[in-house]
Amino acid sequence: QVQLVESGGGLVQAGGSLRLSCAASGRSLWDYNMGWFRQAPGKEREFVAAISWTGGSTYYADSVKGRFTISRDNAKNTVYLQMNSLEPEDTAVYYCAGDSTRRGSRQSNEYQSWGQGTQVTVSS
């Protein structure tokens, strides 16, 4: 199992930007598809973005398409989520997830490893 730790969350005003990081330990991320999910109070966890193990394919929820960018640096065992033009609707705990089968994309049950989350709060 790979251990994942998210960081980079915080409080920002609407229209601002944040970059989240997901650092891995225990094993390399080279063999993992990686995803970002988020969960707001009173709501179910939802898909945000994903990237294939090669980095050649990316997937985005319609709600963040054009504003968020997922990327990875396998040499540093780190996955990033660049979030621009943030809105109050983006307020949530953001989770990093890994899929060792390298088939995971938009569904949470395709991932086996999860971080503990980092809080993102966007004020209006």
Side-chain angles (χ1 to χ4, degrees):
Q1 294 287 337
V2 62
Q3 288 73 53
L4 304 174
V5 179
E6 304 93 338
S7 63
L11 174 64
V12 297
Q13 290 186 315
S17 298
L18 284 174
R19 188 179 73 164
L20 305 184
S21 298
C22 174
S25 62
R27 60 184 299 171
S28 174
L29 291 180
W30 188 261
D31 296 329
Y32 287 77
N33 282 10
M34 300 298 298
W36 286 96
F37 294 78
R38 66 187 182 187
Q39 187 167 23
K43 297 183 178 180
E44 296 182 354
R45 185 173 298 183
E46 66 173 339
F47 168 76
V48 177
I51 187 168
S52 64
W53 70 282
T54 65
S57 299
T58 57
Y59 311 88
Y60 295 95
D62 289 341
S63 60
V64 306
K65 194 173 300 181
R67 300 188 298 121
F68 292 9
T69 302
I70 187 171
S71 62
R72 66 191 302 160
D73 186 343
N74 287 346
K76 298 176 65 175
N77 285 328
T78 303
V79 179
Y80 304 97
L81 184 68
Q82 178 67 46
M83 305 185 296
N84 298 327
S85 301
L86 284 163
E87 300 291 341
E89 279 292 309
D90 298 316
T91 295
V93 176
Y94 283 71
Y95 298 90
C96 177
D99 166 38
S100 63
T101 73
R102 289 164 280 150
R103 297 175 181 176
S105 56
R106 297 178 175 88
Q107 299 184 37
S108 61
N109 61 9
E110 296 173 324
Y111 297 83
Q112 303 83 48
S113 301
W114 293 83
Q116 67 181 40
T118 185
Q119 177 71 49
V120 172
T121 302
V122 184
S123 64
S124 58

